[in-house]
Structures are given as C-alpha cells and as structure tokens.
Amino acid sequence: MEPVGNTGDSPGELVVTVENALQQLYYDPDMEQKNAAQRWLTQAQASPQAWHFCWALLGPDKLPEVQFFGASTLHTKISHHWADLQPDQHPGLRTQLLSHVLRFSSGPRMVLTRLCVALASLALNLVPQAWPKPVADLVRALQPETETPEGAAAAPQEGPQEGPQEPPPHARCLVLLELLTVLPEEFQSSRLAQSRRAQLREALAGEWATVCPLLRRLLQSPDSLGPVKQRVLRCLSGWTALGVALEESRGLVEDCFSALGDAELFDAAVETIVTVLSQPDCQRCRAALGGLIPVVLGLRERLEAAAGAGDMETTHGICRIAVALGETHSRVLLEQVDLWQDYLALVNMILFCTGTPGHYPVSETSSSLTLTFWYTLQDDIMSLEEERQALYLSVYREVYVRLVEVLLQKAHYAPEEEYASWSVDDKEQFRTYRVDISDTLMYVYEMLGAELLSSLYERLGGLVLGPGRGGAWQDIEALLFGFQSIAETIDVNYSDVIPGLIGLLPRISISTVLLADTVMYTIGSLAEWLADHPVMLVKILPMVLQGLAKPELSVSSVSTLKRICRECQHDLAPYAHDIIRVSQDVLLGDVHKSSQCMWLMQGVGFLLSSLPVEAVLGSLQAFLSPHIQRLESLAQQQPCPSSKPSIIHILGLLSSLFTTLDINRHAPSLETAVPAPPTPPQAPHNPVVVVLQQVLTLIQNILSKWLNDSEVVEAVCGVFEKSVRTLLHGFGPMVPQLSAMLGQIYCTYPQSSALDLTRQMVHIFAAEREFFSPVQDLVKVLTSATLAIFQQGPRDHPDIADSFMQLHAQIFKRKPDFYLSEHLDVSSLFCCGVMFLKCPEAGTVRSASLFFTELFPRFKDLPAVGAVVLSEGRLLVQTLLQAVGGEAPRSLGDHFSEVLFSMNRNCVGLLARWLEETLQDPTFPSTLVSVQQKDAFRQRLLREQTNRRQVKDVVKEFSLLCRGQQGVGYSTQ
C-alpha cells in the first residue's frame, strides 16, 4: 500500500482503500499482510484526509467493524490532531458528531461508545472557553421529551435534524448516561499538562450540580429499567474520581446503599460504593464520612445472615464495603474521638468478616479482603501521639486478642479427606492466604508484644501436655504456624517462652505430613535463636535429621537443615559427623528431588566451612568420593540420553556445594571484590581448589564426549563459576588450567556459558599480574572464534551475542589494557556491536548498548578505540537513529539513549557532526518528522552532557514523533 498522502485517490476511492485494508486486517490469514494493513491504517488515521473519510466510514450501509474504525479515527483526530482545525470549524464538528451519536443510539454498541468518547474528547478541548457548560447542554439536548419536553424544545443545534430518525426516550436516556460516563473517564486517561488538568477538573466538578440530581432521579424512579440504573451507578463511579465533594453526593451514595436490596443491581451498587468510599478526597468531608458509618453498620444483620446461609456473593460484597470505609479512612476516623464507638463497631464488623465461616477459598472468599485493614489500623494507632495512642491501645487490645483467635482458626487446614479433594489452584490460594495471615500476625505482635507469644505457648502446652491430649492436629499446627509467623520476622532472642517451645516440639505426636512440615518450618524459623542458644541444638537436630530421611518432608526438612547450617555453623562441630552421614545417605538413596539435593549440598557447604581448616579437605574428599566415582563411571560410557541427567545432577551437586563452601567466611562479595595480592607459594591451597584440580582430568574426559551438548557444558562451567564467585582470589591456582580448557571448549563448540565464566575471571583476575597473561590469551581465543561465527550474522546465536558483548563491556570497565594488544580486533568488535543493536532480542540489544557505553570513555586513552570511533562512529549514530525512528521496539529506547549519552560526554564534537550529516536526508529516520523537528532534537540532545534522564526524555519524544505516536492531547489548549 502506498502512503496515504501519495495515493492521489479521491475521497471515495480512499474510503474503498480503507475498507479493503480493514478486510485484510481482520480476515487475511497472512500475518505479514495483517501487519502491513495495520501500519497503513495507523498512517491513514494520522493523515489530514482522515477528517473527511471517517464520516463516510460511519455510513449506515457500512459493516460494524468499518463503522467502528471510523469512530475510532474520529476520536484519534480530535484527541491527537485537534490543532488541525480552525476555531470556526468547531461548531460544525460538534453538531455533526452529536447527530451521529443519536443516530447510533440503537447500536452497534461498540460504535456508539466510541462516538461518545469522541464527543467527550471534543468537549474537553472546548471547555471552558468555547463550551462553558457541556454537561448542561448535553442534558438539555438528550433528555427524553416525555420527561422534559421544554428541555428538548430548547435543545441547541447539535440535535438531530431528521424527525423520523428521532430515537425513543429510553435510547436517548442511555446515550446521555453513556456520555456522562465516558466524559470523566476520558479526562482521567488523557495526557494533559498539569495546569490544563487542574482547569478541566475544576470545570467538570462544577457540572456535578447538574449531573447529581439527574442521577438521583433516574436511580429512584420506579419507571427506570435495570440497564438505566446500572448505567447510573457506573456513571457515579467515574465522577467520583474527579474529586467531587462527598457531602455534595451523599444523598446519591445513600441511594446506592438502597440499591443493594435489588439483586439485579447488587454487584454494580457494591462496585460504586467501594469506588466512592475508596477515594482519599472523602476525608475532606469528615462529617459526611462519619455519617456513612451507621449506614454501613446497618448492613451487619444482612452480612451475618448471608454468611450463615453460605451466600458468598452477598458476604463478599458487604465485606468489601466495610473494608473500603475502614481501611481508606482509618486515620481520619481514629482522630474523630466523638466517633470512637461507631468506628469500634465498624472494626468489629470487619472482624466478623475476617472470621467468615468456612475454609478459604473453597467455601468463603471474603476473609482475605480484610487482612490489610488490620495492618492499616495497627499502623495508624502506633503513629498517633503518645497519649491518644495509649488510649486506643487499651480500646483495641481486646479486638486484637480476638483477632489472633480468628486468624489461627482461619489458618486451620480442612480435614485431610476434604483437603485432599481440593484442586491444585485452591491449595495454592490457601497457601498464599496463610502467608497473608502470617504477615498479619506479625502486625498483631506490634500491638500485643510478648503477651502474644505467651498466649500461644500456654495454649500449645495445654494441647501437647494436657491430660487428654485430645486436641485436633489442626489446632497444634495452627499454633505452631503462629510461632513460625512471628519468629520469621521478629527478633525473639529475648523471649522467655522459646526454650519451652523447643522442649515441646519433640513431644508433639505427629500424625500427618502437614503437621510435620509445620514443625520443621517452625524449627527453621528459630535458626537465629538457636545460633545464640546452641545448647538447645541437641534437642532439635535429631528431629531434623529424622525428617531428612522422609521423602514427604523433603522441602521442609532440607530447607530447615540448610538454615541451621548457615546460622549455627560455628556450633555444629559436635554434630558434623551425623549431619554429613545422614546427608550422604539420603543423597545416595535418591530420597529427594534434584532441587532439594542442591539445597542440601549448600547446607553441607556451610557445615564444612566451619570445620577446622586441616579437617575440611579430608571431610570434603570423603563426602564427595561416592559422587566422583559415579561420575567416573558415567564418563566411561558412551553418550546416551539415559546418562545425561545423572551427569548434570552430579555436576549440579558440586556447583551447589562450592557455592557455600568457603573456609574464609569474611571474604568480600563478588560485587565489591577488589584486587588482592597473590597467595604466597607456601600457603596451602583452598580445599575446593584441591578437589577441582583432582577432578579436572575427569571433567575434561566428560567434555570430550559431551562437548556438543550445551546443557552438559553449561553444568561444567557452572561448577567453576560458582567456585570463582565463592573463592574469589582464592581460586587463583586454577586460572591457568581453566583458561586453557575454556579456550579448547569454545573453539570446538562455542557456548555462551564459557563466555559468562570468562567474564567472571576477567572481573576478578585481569588486574593481577600473575594471571594477566592467561586471562588475556583466553580473551583473544574467544574473541577470534566469536568474530568468525558472526561473519554470517548473529541470528542463530543470540545467547552468544549477548554474553560476548557483556564480556567485552566488562573488559573495557575492568582492564582496558587488553585492547593494547594487536591480536584483539577492536574494529571488528565495534562492527559486531553495531550489528547486535539491530537484533530483535532485548537482552542482546541491552548488552550491545552496555558495550558501547563502556567503550566511549576509552576513546582518548586507547589508540585502537579512537581510530575505530573515527572510522565507524557515523555508522553507529545512523544505526541508533534508525532504531529510535521506528525499526526497534520503543521499549528499547532507554538503551539507545545510554549510548548517545556516553558519546555526548566523551566525543560531543564528533557526535554533533554525525547527527548533522545523517539527519540531512529528508526521509531519515522517518518521513513523519520535519527538518525543524530534527534540528530541535539534535540541539536538545547535544545540550545534555550531564543529565542522563533528560537525554532519555529527548530521545523518547523524538521516537514518538518518528512513529507518528506523539500525543498532544489537550495540553496545547
């Protein structure tokens, strides 16, 4: 399709072309043809001719999808191209648009709605100067004659011109309500300057005096049909968002409460009431807000009846209303001391909602709505001045005590047979619900303090040690869940009940997996407390090790042991033998899934790190011996699908172990690592390095057979990468051997994992003289091999392109001296980076942008970089502008901005020249931008050498211009 402005078609021919394009868009099975039609139609909407052909598309003989496109085009022109019109054209457009709104009053609905949005957009452009009272005028024009014949007689010229076409009163009423609904919605969604938005908000709020009585009359009238009343409720929601005063609409809001008695209107009434009550601006009308509390409390009886009858919909709706009032305005209502009894009654009503009978989410869905309210109330009480805070703490203490009872009851598991029948989604929702309850209990602790733990302990002791011991397992589980919730986030080191809890845990009669899981998680939550009270480990560890041998407790027991090994590692020496023995048994017995095995290895790593240095190597070798033997056996076999998972699993075990095994726990993290002096020759090697040197030949043997399998190679690289990250400079003795091996791997079968591992080595070792040469040689080999791959283009290897750019960005940042070598072809690297900027993968574009961002600061320091920038910089600028101009997704714009910002800071003269040269082409980077707009972009960009955010904004605005998507909205008015 030719551009709209170049077709030379007559208006009639252009309409036919638009219809054909729509036919192609909706019905052509070829996606390329669909996309071409979409692009052409977007361009057509932006063209001046659209002001004319949109009316033809709205003809009564057109298909609904054609009419819809015509209405959408009209809205696009009014909202984004209003400046095209002269002021004397506005009245005619207003008349014609209103006429079409009336003509489509009987449908299709989608076309009518779009025309109403267009008319709302027009009103926002004309208010207040050219159309001071649009709402009043529309009400007079559209009110049914049967209701206000004098209003219809006085209707302005916008009314329909053909008497026989006059829609019936009911249709006119629905059209009016649709217009009144979309007007505030269009205001909220429009891009407006702050001053213009304030002006429009004030003008529209002034029209509420016209809208509110109309809505009340329609909602109260027994003659109004259900659809009309539902539209009234939706209309109120939209106007509420404009910030109209609650006292001005209180009567209408109370009418909405009355509408709750109509089953047909219940859902719509709930939505509207919640919208009204959720507006923070309601707090300005404290008297009106306080007056609504009795209205909400009047729903209590109906709420209890619905909950008792299992009416989930009614319970849910009333609960939403109570929470909206109580949560949104908690602070204001607390500050009104004269309302304390009413607000306390509302709080108790919400407490009833929290305790809605039934199991969430199967037989009730309301209780979850209330949980954030309890945090809000607690936070607002604790933020009051000291005297009032003390008063409310005494008032609400009993409420929070009862809340604990309710929350623990709601956290109860259903009976086992019933719970087993739940769907996977229901179980996941219940799990999330219990997490929310756990958070709420933490907030309750802020109110009740140590009293809460004491209460939980007394109840648990009664169930575990009581004469009958007849409590259901769910009761014990819920109490343990309460302890766990608090211990996870609150410092319980000074609690005097934790020792008693530790003593109770071994005495619990565990009859179900769910209870056993919670026991394990409770122990895990006390890991930090155990670190300060290691004498109690002797009571707890046997339970954890017993659970470790049970597959059904896999996740809870392994995660608990890992936490204990991490927090208490310096006190575990007496138990190390037992922990290692049991861990080895379950690993060799395939008791746990692979992911839990990895966690277990991390726990063992923490444990081994705490042993005396001289004992670590022997324990490590003994622990790994069975796994190494198994790996040797697999390495002797020919590659086959059955052996691959075992190889990857064992390599994963090594990676996980080496992630946490560090005999020097105070080493800096990878992110903050700084060059360290090389280890003296006489110092013993790290045990991990010793083991890696011992298994290096085995790993090379595996690679010789599995080199073409990316997953195996990635697993091998993972072993060394985790070791490098953990040991940092302690990994040094392995650098020469690993560098040679990585070079061989990559040259035979390039893998992104090898590049990622090399990047870690560059980060840590490139600045050390001892390792400079092997790391630099490795970089040369990888660079040469990668450049050879991309001579044919990057499409088949986006992961390698991504990692390759990240590697060289790291080199420019950490050790740019590498590029002093003549064996590193900086020119080819630069051209590769330019090529990668055109890739569709966001990660590759991001990494290429990072490469250039790190390259340009070296422009003056490195001769090779300076030379390639001079020779290829114009190409880079051209590529960036093409991407910004529409060839790349807008979401990538910030990455291109970073490159331009780096160029602007380091070679602004060259950038200015290249921008001027490339933008001289009148069609580059888009035919939609003028010479003046390109000059403005260039000047604004070159001015910003220090403000990165401003550069991003400049580039974003230019990108929108190039794509024809700039939204002037109503901000120019």
Side-chain angles (χ1 to χ4, degrees), residues 903-934:
M903 296 179 72
N904 209 15
R905 294 192 68 177
N906 296 285
C907 49
V908 62
L910 292 173
L911 177 61
R913 189 180 80 198
W914 293 328
L915 285 172
E916 185 174 3
E917 292 173 358
T918 53
L919 292 175
Q920 283 180 351
D921 183 346
T923 65
F924 182 85
S926 167
T927 57
L928 299 178
V929 286
S930 64
V931 174
Q932 293 79 9
Q933 289 170 326
K934 289 192 282 190

Side-chain angles (χ1 to χ4, degrees), residues 769-790:
R769 181 177 303 176
E770 180 182 357
F771 304 118
F772 179 89
S773 179
V775 175
Q776 185 184 42
D777 291 342
L778 174 59
V779 169
K780 292 177 184 176
V781 170
L782 301 188
T783 301
S784 177
T786 306
L787 292 176
I789 294 172
F790 290 122

Side-chain angles (χ1 to χ4, degrees), residues 426-544:
D426 286 340
K427 289 179 179 178
E428 175 59 22
Q429 287 188 57
F430 183 64
R431 186 197 65 81
T432 305
Y433 176 67
R434 280 171 51 103
V435 171
D436 293 338
I437 289 178
S438 175
D439 293 339
T440 307
L441 285 170
M442 179 186 68
Y443 308 142
V444 174
Y445 183 85
E446 296 294 328
M447 294 285 286
L448 301 180
E451 175 188 350
L452 173 56
L453 289 178
S454 298
S455 173
L456 294 176
Y457 174 67
E458 289 176 6
R459 294 177 57 190
L460 181 63
L463 291 174
V464 175
L465 303 177
R469 294 193 181 189
W473 69 264
Q474 288 95 335
D475 295 330
I476 296 175
E477 192 279 334
L479 290 168
L480 290 174
F481 173 75
F483 270 113
Q484 173 198 336
S485 302
I486 297 167
E488 286 284 5
T489 50
I490 303 295
D491 183 4
V492 295
N493 276 348
Y494 302 103
S495 172
D496 56 0
V497 304
I498 301 301
L501 172 64
I502 295 291
L504 285 177
L505 290 176
R507 307 184 66 172
I508 294 175
S509 176
I510 299 177
S511 57
T512 69
V513 172
L514 295 172
L515 176 57
D517 267 334
T518 302
V519 169
M520 286 295 163
Y521 286 128
T522 303
I523 295 171
S525 70
L526 298 173
E528 292 185 22
W529 185 91
L530 290 168
D532 292 330
H533 305 81
V535 69
M536 305 299 288
L537 284 168
V538 69
K539 295 184 178 182
I540 289 300
L541 271 176
M543 295 181 64
V544 178

Side-chain angles (χ1 to χ4, degrees), residues 49-169:
Q49 294 95 321
W51 284 109
H52 306 288
F53 71 66
C54 64
W55 300 108
L57 297 177
L58 288 166
D61 59 328
K62 301 300 183 184
L63 294 172
E65 54 263 37
V66 175
Q67 294 172 332
F68 178 79
F69 181 77
S72 297
T73 300
L74 189 56
H75 172 247
T76 299
K77 301 305 292 184
I78 293 173
S79 59
H80 297 303
H81 303 274
W82 182 251
D84 293 352
L85 299 179
Q86 298 300 319
D88 59 355
Q89 295 176 290
H90 298 165
L93 175 62
R94 174 177 154 187
T95 300
Q96 192 174 11
L97 183 51
L98 184 55
S99 175
H100 276 73
V101 166
L102 285 169
R103 184 161 66 80
F104 280 92
S105 61
S106 57
R109 175 67 188 279
M110 63 179 183
V111 180
L112 172 62
T113 299
R114 211 68 199 143
L115 287 172
C116 288
V117 172
L119 184 55
S121 182
L122 181 142
L124 293 176
N125 276 302
L126 295 177
V127 170
Q129 291 84 3
W131 198 358
K133 297 289 184 181
V135 172
D137 291 343
L138 290 172
V139 169
R140 283 195 299 271
L142 293 171
Q143 272 192 331
E145 291 184 3
T146 55
E147 295 186 11
T148 55
E150 69 282 359
Q157 62 178 352
E158 296 89 333
Q161 305 301 313
E162 301 178 19
Q165 300 285 335
E166 192 76 14

Side-chain angles (χ1 to χ4, degrees), residues 80 83 93 131 136 156 241 366 403 420 457 467 479 524 549 574-575 585 620 649 694 713 769:
H80 297 303
L93 175 62
W131 198 358
S366 304
L403 175 62
Y457 174 67
L479 290 168
Y575 317 102
D585 289 344
L620 177 61
H649 175 74
Q694 292 173 349
V713 173
R769 181 177 303 176

Side-chain angles (χ1 to χ4, degrees), residues 39-293:
R39 289 192 296 269
W40 188 88
L41 288 168
T42 301
Q43 184 185 8
Q45 282 188 321
S47 69
Q49 294 95 321
W51 284 109
H52 306 288
F53 71 66
C54 64
W55 300 108
L57 297 177
L58 288 166
D61 59 328
K62 301 300 183 184
L63 294 172
E65 54 263 37
V66 175
Q67 294 172 332
F68 178 79
F69 181 77
S72 297
T73 300
L74 189 56
H75 172 247
T76 299
K77 301 305 292 184
I78 293 173
S79 59
H80 297 303
H81 303 274
W82 182 251
D84 293 352
L85 299 179
Q86 298 300 319
D88 59 355
Q89 295 176 290
H90 298 165
L93 175 62
R94 174 177 154 187
T95 300
Q96 192 174 11
L97 183 51
L98 184 55
S99 175
H100 276 73
V101 166
L102 285 169
R103 184 161 66 80
F104 280 92
S105 61
S106 57
R109 175 67 188 279
M110 63 179 183
V111 180
L112 172 62
T113 299
R114 211 68 199 143
L115 287 172
C116 288
V117 172
L119 184 55
S121 182
L122 181 142
L124 293 176
N125 276 302
L126 295 177
V127 170
Q129 291 84 3
W131 198 358
K133 297 289 184 181
V135 172
D137 291 343
L138 290 172
V139 169
R140 283 195 299 271
L142 293 171
Q143 272 192 331
E145 291 184 3
T146 55
E147 295 186 11
T148 55
E150 69 282 359
Q157 62 178 352
E158 296 89 333
Q161 305 301 313
E162 301 178 19
Q165 300 285 335
E166 192 76 14
H170 173 70
R172 292 173 72 93
C173 184
L174 289 176
V175 168
L176 175 59
L177 289 172
E178 184 71 16
L179 282 167
L180 294 179
T181 300
V182 300
L183 182 59
E185 291 175 353
E186 180 70 1
F187 167 76
Q188 296 291 352
S189 63
S190 299
R191 297 177 58 194
L192 300 168
Q194 187 173 358
S195 58
R196 177 61 176 165
R197 180 172 291 278
Q199 182 186 36
L200 282 176
R201 184 186 296 275
E202 181 181 0
L204 292 176
E207 300 265 33
W208 181 241
T210 301
V211 177
C212 187
L214 172 66
L215 298 183
R216 288 203 71 182
R217 187 165 67 251
L218 290 173
L219 194 57
Q220 293 175 347
S221 173
D223 297 328
S224 296
L225 300 178
V228 171
K229 292 185 177 182
Q230 288 184 345
R231 199 72 59 86
V232 167
L233 293 168
R234 180 184 160 206
C235 185
L236 172 58
S237 295
W239 283 85
T240 297
L242 292 177
V244 296
L246 178 61
E247 57 193 12
E248 296 177 12
S249 54
R250 179 176 172 181
L252 182 55
V253 174
E254 291 179 352
D255 291 340
C256 294
F257 276 93
S258 299
L260 291 171
D262 187 333
E264 184 182 359
L265 300 178
F266 181 81
D267 290 341
V270 168
E271 290 295 336
T272 300
I273 294 170
V274 169
T275 300
V276 171
L277 295 180
S278 299
Q279 296 299 319
D281 285 345
C282 291
Q283 297 175 6
R284 293 179 300 165
C285 310
R286 297 194 171 197
L289 190 62
L292 287 177
I293 297 181

